Amino acid sequence: MTNGDLGDMGGELEDPEWDEGMSEILEMVGRHIRRWRERAGLTQAELGSAIGYTEHQVSAVERGRRIPKPAFLDKADEVLGAEGMLAEFKEDAEKVRYPKKVRDLARLEADAADLGAYASTVIHGLLQTDAYSRALYRRHRPVLDEDTIERYVAARMARQEIFERTPGPFLSFVQEEVTLRRPVGGRMVQRAQLERLLEVGQLRNVEIQVMPTDCEDHAGLGGSFMLLDPHHGPKVGHTEAQQFSRVIAERKEIRRLDALYGIIRAQALTPRESLAFIEKVLGET
């Protein structure tokens, strides 16, 4: 589910997941940064050096081609003497950090009281490490440019703020064994991802289960899906395959997915057995 030098690659906002309103916000932020930089008498390279970014990155931000991170805005504000005026754009930048297709999903996750997910091909997005997610996007076909990859990774990592909510929602995940063993990004990335699963699996409101490959009875062969029970509104489902994302609201379909997820959880290893299994795979990696 749903994933070095990051200079100007050209055309990075010309994709169907970016809309005109998002571009206008970024262009507005970029204009203000450029004006403050010029007022301070600094070149893009000099500003970049002062705040720890490359000239290409500063250029991309000023032209509205890259979403500035909070640290970028804070450092630029300090170096340029903007007295908080650039730092205030962090909220605007936050609004455009999600690609269009995941904005509704992110909102549903943010309001979830209970979330259950079955992932059959890769580690679920809410459980992915930064490096694992980046490796997945770099294998995307057609090839994505680096700025687009970084935007998507940032959006995926931002969704993981769900683990920091208080009180936290109940989150359960069932991962196919193959997702643990596939060395996405190489062995070091794989090891860090397994360690992340063990870390998250210790949280009191999180349960991670593994579906062993040798399990003969398996109700989840139809593919990955997620169920979200929000604080406000009816339960919904979400599926994603080959870059096509779909939110499911029909009650009949939700009842079917609900029953299916219950069967999958019953067939999988228990949470305790699963953590032990993940530790075993980590030891073999």
Side-chain angles (χ1 to χ4, degrees):
M1 299 201 84
T2 106
N3 249 288
D5 179 5
L6 302 176
D8 176 24
M9 302 297 290
E12 52 266 45
L13 298 188
E14 297 174 7
D15 66 69
E17 296 188 9
W18 201 268
D19 59 40
E20 185 176 349
M22 297 166 74
S23 297
E24 290 176 352
I25 291 174
L26 286 184
E27 289 169 2
M28 178 268 295
V29 173
R31 283 196 302 271
H32 281 273
I33 293 172
R34 184 182 70 250
R35 288 169 184 167
W36 279 100
R37 176 181 59 78
E38 292 174 346
R39 181 179 297 181
L42 298 179
T43 64
Q44 291 178 339
E46 290 169 336
L47 174 59
S49 178
I51 65 176
Y53 288 81
T54 68
E55 178 181 358
H56 289 303
Q57 288 171 320
V58 173
S59 174
V61 169
E62 289 189 354
R63 293 183 294 110
R65 294 286 180 172
R66 178 182 173 87
I67 303 173
K69 294 182 178 179
F72 181 105
L73 293 170
D74 284 334
K75 292 176 182 178
D77 191 282
E78 180 181 353
V79 169
L80 300 177
E83 299 181 345
M85 296 188 69
L86 293 181
E88 287 182 358
F89 287 125
K90 287 187 288 187
E91 183 176 345
D92 295 290
E94 177 75 13
K95 293 177 181 177
V96 298
R97 69 196 299 186
Y98 295 109
K100 183 186 297 184
K101 78 172 186 178
V102 301
R103 268 181 261 164
D104 289 341
L105 176 59
R107 281 194 291 267
L108 289 170
E109 290 173 345
D111 190 41
D114 190 314
L115 181 153
Y118 165 63
S120 62
T121 57
V122 298
I123 301 298
H124 190 275
L126 291 176
L127 299 172
Q128 291 175 13
T129 64
D130 182 280
Y132 183 97
S133 179
R134 185 173 289 102
L136 284 178
Y137 282 122
R138 283 182 174 157
R139 283 159 177 73
H140 185 280
R141 295 297 181 271
V143 175
L144 300 173
D145 63 73
E146 287 298 319
D147 274 1
T148 299
I149 290 172
E150 289 304 309
R151 191 169 76 242
Y152 287 2
V153 171
R156 182 159 291 180
M157 295 302 103
R159 287 168 51 202
Q160 296 184 9
E161 293 172 358
I162 192 171
F163 293 110
E164 301 172 10
R165 280 173 39 192
T166 303
F170 175 70
L171 308 171
S172 76
F173 303 89
V174 179
Q175 290 285 157
E176 280 290 331
E177 177 183 341
V178 67
T179 67
L180 309 179
R181 298 189 180 278
R182 182 171 291 123
V184 174
R187 293 299 177 184
M188 295 305 294
V189 172
Q190 182 189 13
R191 285 187 59 85
Q193 179 61 72
L194 293 172
E195 290 169 352
R196 173 61 175 167
L197 293 179
L198 291 173
E199 176 188 357
V200 174
Q202 298 295 332
L203 298 176
R204 293 175 58 195
N205 63 318
V206 177
E207 290 187 350
I208 297 176
Q209 295 178 252
V210 175
M211 177 67 80
T213 301
D214 63 5
C215 181
E216 183 175 353
D217 293 323
H218 191 344
L221 297 178
S224 304
F225 63 92
M226 182 163 59
L227 285 164
L228 304 103
D229 194 356
H231 288 286
H232 310 94
K235 181 179 288 189
V236 298
H238 178 266
T239 62
E240 185 171 344
Q242 297 297 325
Q243 310 307 313
F244 294 98
S245 179
R246 178 188 171 212
V247 174
I248 302 168
E250 295 86 352
R251 292 181 62 186
K252 181 178 179 180
E253 285 296 303
I254 295 300
R255 285 196 297 269
R256 186 184 71 82
L257 288 178
D258 218 354
L260 188 63
Y261 189 60
I263 297 171
I264 291 172
R265 292 199 67 191
Q267 294 171 335
L269 300 178
T270 68
R272 179 173 294 183
E273 292 170 339
S274 295
L275 292 182
F277 189 92
I278 294 170
E279 286 183 344
K280 176 176 177 291
V281 176
L282 177 59
E284 298 170 351
T285 302

